[in-house]
Amino acid sequence: MSRFQVVSGKGGTGKTTVAAALALALATEGRRTLLVEVEGRQGIAQLFGAEALPYEERRIAVSPGGGEVHALAIDAEQALLDYLQMFYKLGSAGRALKKLGAIDFATTVAPGVRDVLLTGKACEAVRRKDRQGRFVYDHVVMDAPPTGRITRFLNVNDEVAGLARIGPIHNQAQAVMRVLKSPETAVHLVTLLEEMPVQETADGIAELRAADLPVGRIVVNMVRPHLLDEDALRTASGGRRKEIAKALTRAGVTGSAGLVRPLVEQASEHAQRVELERAQRAVLAGLGLPTAELPLVGEGVSLSALHDLAEEFRKQGVGDEAADAAGEGPGDARRPGPGGGPGRGVGS
């Protein structure tokens, strides 16, 4: 599995939850992941029950086997100050620019600058190594913008590299695109088994492929269980009330006549939903990408539910792929990183 995991999806599909569960799933057997937020919503902190994330990498969870999940909320202004210091050594001059409002102007008005800074900071984390030459993070997972603008968000560095033919901006943009368009990166799209999200997913995949950006897998989120077997579904979809009434009577249900209508209506709605979901699964299958499915966990996502979703990912091979990609046995990736050595608990 690629080291840089970008998670996008139509609004309302739960992409932030999926990104968090993926980060937990990848942090197996002592491995370390960085979960990155770029939209300023502090959704990651809310999911993990932590305080609002500052502009620094902070450990927020521990996975089975001693793996760690760190998180970072990338702030475009701070990223620009980092950039100015890295390439121009501005130091206090950069801070003065911030006070004058120049930083805010650059990140909100200059076309594409904000997205370049956000993707650049994430790619820096992907490439970063420790003093022993080992990657600090085995995987970086980005909770990215929605499907409708994910291609432009990731591809803006290509545009900037073309505009700035020489100099550090050109070099930085090229370095970022080398990561984003390489096997190191995979863009995963989150969807529901509903027509609009599935169509937006198909459109997003086509746009990503046209831009030569690497598409990973489709994650079908909030999958509800099928409560009826095939015979029951056929009966419900056919509205065969007499058969249902007889079955209730045989089962010893008293007053079955009054129960038939609401039961038939509920069963019919369920049968219709199952048929619609099957149709959308067929559309997704035609896109030719691997898929993963995560169950509906109800209202609100607790930390326990996040771990359950991570376990669902592992059951579908995500953790195994991570181990293969790292090319190392359990424990080889256990090393001190940002925030010190391994610890326990959330927000520690």
Side-chain angles (χ1 to χ4, degrees):
M1 177 173 278
S2 304
R3 295 188 60 253
F4 188 22
Q5 311 284 315
V6 179
V7 179
S8 181
K10 187 181 186 303
T13 59
K15 68 177 179 65
T16 299
T17 299
V18 170
L22 179 60
L24 280 168
L26 293 172
T28 57
E29 300 300 332
R31 294 182 175 84
R32 181 179 288 107
T33 62
L34 176 65
L35 179 57
V36 173
E37 179 178 83
V38 296
E39 294 184 280
R41 294 185 294 106
Q42 290 291 337
I44 293 172
Q46 294 174 28
L47 278 174
F48 285 91
E51 296 180 358
L53 296 172
Y55 183 63
E56 62 182 37
E57 291 156 27
R58 173 176 293 181
R59 188 179 62 215
I60 58 171
V62 175
S63 282
E68 297 180 2
V69 177
H70 292 245
L72 171 66
I74 300 179
D75 177 81
E77 290 188 12
Q78 292 294 329
L80 181 52
L81 288 173
D82 286 352
Y83 179 88
L84 293 173
Q85 174 60 23
M86 182 183 302
F87 290 105
Y88 297 101
K89 311 297 182 188
L90 287 187
S92 59
R95 292 189 292 274
L97 287 172
K98 178 177 173 62
K99 290 181 180 178
L100 291 171
I103 302 299
D104 181 63
F105 176 83
T107 56
T108 57
V109 178
V113 167
R114 182 180 181 86
D115 290 351
V116 169
L117 293 167
L118 297 174
T119 54
K121 183 66 178 177
C123 288
E124 180 276 324
V126 173
R127 297 191 304 258
R128 193 189 313 157
K129 295 184 178 181
D130 61 18
R131 293 179 180 177
Q132 286 71 45
R134 297 173 298 189
F135 287 114
V136 171
Y137 294 108
D138 299 288
H139 295 278
V140 175
V141 179
M142 176 189 281
D143 177 20
T147 315
R149 74 180 197 93
I150 185 61
T151 301
R152 177 66 188 274
F153 174 76
L154 295 176
N155 210 40
V156 70
N157 289 274
D158 237 0
E159 299 176 17
V160 170
L163 292 173
R165 298 292 181 182
I166 59 173
I169 294 178
H170 173 82
N171 295 337
Q172 168 75 357
Q174 280 199 323
V176 170
M177 291 314 302
R178 279 197 294 270
V179 174
L180 293 179
K181 292 193 174 183
S182 76
E184 279 191 285
T185 298
V187 184
H188 308 300
L189 298 182
V190 183
T191 187
L192 307 179
L193 288 175
E194 298 173 4
E195 186 175 356
M196 287 185 64
V198 167
Q199 184 59 55
E200 189 162 316
T201 297
D203 294 342
I205 290 169
E207 291 175 2
L208 289 165
R209 285 172 169 166
D212 292 324
L213 289 163
V215 186
R217 69 173 68 218
I218 298 168
V219 180
V220 183
N221 196 25
M222 304 185 203
V223 176
R224 290 175 286 185
H226 291 176
L227 305 176
L228 302 176
D229 60 24
E230 292 300 318
D231 288 339
L233 284 172
R234 283 192 292 270
T235 299
S237 60
R240 288 143 64 179
R241 297 186 180 186
K242 290 183 178 180
E243 292 183 27
I244 296 174
K246 289 179 181 179
L248 289 172
T249 302
R250 287 195 299 270
V253 178
T254 58
S256 60
L259 292 174
V260 170
R261 182 172 181 176
L263 283 174
V264 167
E265 289 177 351
Q266 288 186 26
S268 178
E269 290 175 1
H270 179 75
Q272 290 175 21
R273 177 173 65 81
V274 169
E275 288 303 311
L276 289 172
E277 289 179 350
R278 284 176 175 168
Q280 297 311 312
R281 274 198 174 92
V283 174
L284 293 174
L287 298 176
L289 290 172
T291 61
E293 293 196 3
L294 296 177
L296 178 68
V297 296
E299 292 294 327
V301 180
S302 65
L303 183 59
S304 174
L306 270 183
H307 280 277
D308 290 342
L309 293 175
E311 182 58 29
E312 287 292 330
F313 265 134
R314 294 189 194 102
K315 288 177 181 177
Q316 296 174 59
V318 172
D320 294 338
E321 291 172 358
D324 293 341
E328 55 197 13
D332 289 347
R334 294 176 186 167
R335 56 195 180 279
R344 300 187 64 81
V346 175
S348 54

